[in-house]
Amino acid sequence: MSVAKSQICRLLVWAAAFGWGVSIVGTLLPWEWMEFVLQGMGKSCVTDDPMIRYHFRMATGGWSIIGFLYLCCALNPRKYASMLPLLAWGALFEGVILLIHGLALGLAAFPFLGDVAFCFVTGGGILLAEGRGKTAQ
């Protein structure tokens, strides 16, 4: 891998670590604060449904784990090199899921297209920079 591709890959891995890992905020902050954040991101109604709160925390916990895995790859790329393509393909898969359902639900462009773009840019960019866009080894 060339130096430029290596640096691009490293930048994308750090971006992915931050982008997925920031979800830890949704796991730790009080629900009242998260309601405010979610409304700023386009949530239109305020509901106090315990199942929505539970599934939100479950999702943000899962995304935080993905962010932690990307962080492991960023901090020790040689040790975790074999995990990186799997994470990148997972990001692409998530991007497809978000695109399909965002369009089907008729969501406003913000923030859903940003999430889709983030998944495609980080996942696809990592695979291309690593030269593994065709096959995951």
Side-chain angles (χ1 to χ4, degrees):
M1 182 174 358
S2 72
V3 174
K5 280 189 173 185
S6 177
Q7 290 176 337
I8 290 170
C9 185
R10 190 165 170 82
L11 177 67
L12 289 170
V13 172
W14 276 105
F18 177 77
W20 289 93
V22 74
S23 299
I24 193 73
V25 172
T27 304
L28 301 175
L29 287 181
W31 183 253
E32 295 74 28
W33 293 16
M34 284 313 306
E35 278 282 343
F36 178 76
V37 170
L38 291 171
Q39 288 174 1
M41 295 175 67
K43 183 178 176 294
S44 59
C45 64
V46 177
T47 59
D48 197 22
D49 183 343
M51 285 307 291
I52 290 175
R53 292 171 67 166
Y54 170 78
H55 282 103
F56 176 82
R57 301 297 185 164
M58 181 173 58
T60 56
W63 297 329
S64 299
I65 292 167
I66 295 169
F68 174 75
L69 294 174
Y70 272 110
L71 182 62
C72 290
C73 291
L75 293 173
N76 199 341
R78 289 179 194 223
K79 182 175 181 180
Y80 297 106
S82 62
M83 187 169 58
L84 193 54
L86 180 62
L87 288 169
W89 281 110
L92 290 174
F93 179 70
E94 180 68 10
V96 170
I97 291 169
L98 295 175
L99 181 61
I100 290 169
H101 290 286
L103 292 172
L105 294 167
L107 296 180
F110 177 80
F112 117 82
L113 287 180
D115 294 335
V116 170
F118 172 78
C119 289
F120 286 163
V121 168
T122 57
I126 289 168
L127 290 172
L128 291 173
E130 278 208 322
R132 296 184 182 186
K134 293 184 181 176
T135 60
Q137 298 175 349

